[in-house]
């Protein structure tokens, strides 16, 4: 197994790129400085906005970091279904005294422009969500000295990632907060996601490239578990959401451990694509009727989500969170990396001691 990726950071901890203003340069820098791999999220930003954040991050740390891109989405959404959903959301717009967004604001998220920036100003790592880039793109990034990672949610997707030529695959279990990185958005597969440990085992038997495990990881003992299962590193998002360096709205941070929000669900309510978040009023009322239409629904509800946040109403916000959200700790990001590393070491020592006992005092 190649160590090119894990050689970039001392501890097997990757801070997940969380779009929407969460993964700011200060968060990524703190994680990098503590020995993990920090990530910027280029999703929903302009190419120049991404470039400016890269410049800022480079001014904060000299350590390797990553940038995440969203893949352009195919045009297959039912426009009639989008119009029906817009009509259903009219009451929300009136309540928050705002306008619904334009669902046709763009499907490619400035993909080509962002790639051009990353080829002109290479970064150590680039990851992709919602699909697989062309071989030409991956080869161009490799020639620029950039390692590429691609999210997969099934063993078949992981095999496609390996065949495309990526350096590693991010294996995302159904426990993960935020958007599932499925390569094709098929409503018929809603609710059929695979748990992380089972998925790692399936992928480990399918591909030979390194695995970065993602989904519900909040403690060092869980990192130890995914490493034992065959991953090279663990990617944590929700765990870093509550840190002071995170750019998440304070209401979002507080909701992670607020007794009002007791569980998470996958929903299309806010974006038109399956994403895991804390169950709130908006999700309950609109989730059952939201069509499969990403990023059209994301654009449509953008103003509503912003207005809800401005009004201090967490019941109307997209509170993305993984299944382990109640275990969130309000620690500085660098300190969190240190705590996770200590927990990982303790869990690894305990596993080793257990193994020695089972083999009569001799390590296997």
């Amino acid at each position: 197994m190649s160590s090119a990726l894990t050689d970039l950071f001392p501890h097997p901890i990757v801070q997940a790129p969380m779009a929407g203003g969460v993964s700011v340069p200060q968060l990524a820098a703190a994680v990098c400085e503590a020995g993990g791999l920090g990530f910027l999220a280029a999703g929903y930003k302009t190419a120049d906005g991404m470039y400016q954040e890269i410049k800022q991050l480079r001014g904060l740390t000299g350590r390797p970091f990553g940038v995440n891109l969203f893949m352009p989405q195919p045009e297959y959404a039912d426009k009639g279904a989008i119009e029906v959903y817009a009509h259903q959301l009219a009451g929300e717009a009136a309540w928050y005294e705002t306008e619904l967004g334009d669902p046709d604001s763009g499907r490619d998220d400035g993909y080509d422009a962002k790639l051009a920036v990353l080829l002109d100003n290479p970064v150590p790592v680039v990851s992709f969500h919602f699909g697989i880039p062309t071989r030409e793109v991956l080869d161009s990034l490799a020639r620029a000295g950039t390692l590429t990672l691609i999210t997969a949610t099934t063993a078949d997707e992981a095999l496609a990632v390996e065949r495309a030529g990526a350096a590693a695959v991010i294996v995302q279990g159904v426990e993960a907060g935020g958007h599932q990185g499925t390569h094709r958005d098929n409503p018929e597969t809603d609710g059929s996601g695979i748990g992380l440990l089972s998925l790692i085992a399936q992928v480990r038997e399918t591909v030979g490239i390194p695995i970065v495990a993602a989904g519900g990881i909040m403690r060092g003992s869980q990192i130890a578990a995914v490493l034992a299962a065959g991953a090279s590193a663990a990617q944590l998002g929700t765990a870093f959401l509550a840190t002071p360096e995170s750019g998440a709205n304070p209401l979002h941070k507080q909701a992670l451990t607020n007794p009002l929000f007791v569980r998470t669900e996958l929903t299309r309510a806010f974006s038109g694509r399956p994403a895991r978040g804390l169950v709130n009023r908006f999700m309950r009322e609109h989730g059952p009727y939201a069509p499969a239409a990403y990023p059209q629904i994301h654009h449509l509800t953008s103003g509503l989500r912003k207005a809800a946040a401005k009004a201090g109403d967490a019941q109307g916000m997209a509170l993305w969170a993984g299944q382990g959200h109640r275990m969130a700790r309000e620690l500085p990001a660098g300190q969190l990396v240190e705590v996770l590393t200590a927990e990982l070491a303790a869990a690894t020592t305990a596993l080793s001691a257990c193994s020695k006992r089972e083999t009569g005092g001799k390590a296997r």
Side-chain angles (χ1 to χ4, degrees), residues 76-100:
Y76 60 81
D78 183 340
K79 291 188 176 182
I82 296 172
E83 291 175 359
V84 169
Y85 194 56
H87 180 73
Q88 180 180 330
L89 295 179
E92 297 280 353
W95 174 258
Y96 289 116
E97 298 181 339
T98 189
E99 300 289 333
L100 294 176

Side-chain angles (χ1 to χ4, degrees), residues 198-216:
S198 295
L199 185 56
I200 292 172
Q202 293 176 30
V203 173
R204 184 72 286 150
E205 294 187 4
T206 305
V207 305
I209 57 176
I211 290 172
V212 175

Side-chain angles (χ1 to χ4, degrees), residues 255-304:
L256 296 175
T257 53
N258 187 328
L260 287 175
F261 303 101
V262 297
R263 61 191 176 90
T264 64
E265 282 185 6
L266 288 170
T267 185
R268 294 179 180 272
F270 297 101
S271 72
R273 229 183 192 275
R276 183 174 296 282
L278 300 173
V279 177
N280 60 4
R281 177 195 61 78
F282 193 101
M283 190 188 295
R284 286 192 298 269
E285 292 183 2
H286 302 293
Y289 313 106
Y294 177 86
Q296 290 91 339
I297 301 304
H298 163 78
H299 295 314
L300 187 72
T301 67
S302 177
L304 295 178

Side-chain angles (χ1 to χ4, degrees), residues 140-152:
S140 295
L141 288 167
R143 286 193 297 270
T146 297
L147 291 176
T148 52
L149 287 67
I150 303 173
T151 301

Side-chain angles (χ1 to χ4, degrees), residues 11-13 34 218-224 329 331 334-350:
H11 305 310
I13 298 171
M218 303 292 288
R219 295 288 187 265
S221 57
Q222 293 172 289
I223 298 174
R329 297 178 280 203
L331 298 174
Q335 185 180 345
L336 179 56
V337 172
E338 293 173 0
V339 170
L340 290 167
T341 302
E343 291 173 344
L344 169 59
T348 302
T349 299

Side-chain angles (χ1 to χ4, degrees), residues 178-193:
H179 285 93
Q180 290 283 296
T182 50
H183 295 181
R184 181 174 178 270
D185 184 15
N186 181 4
E188 295 179 3
T189 62
D190 282 5
S192 63

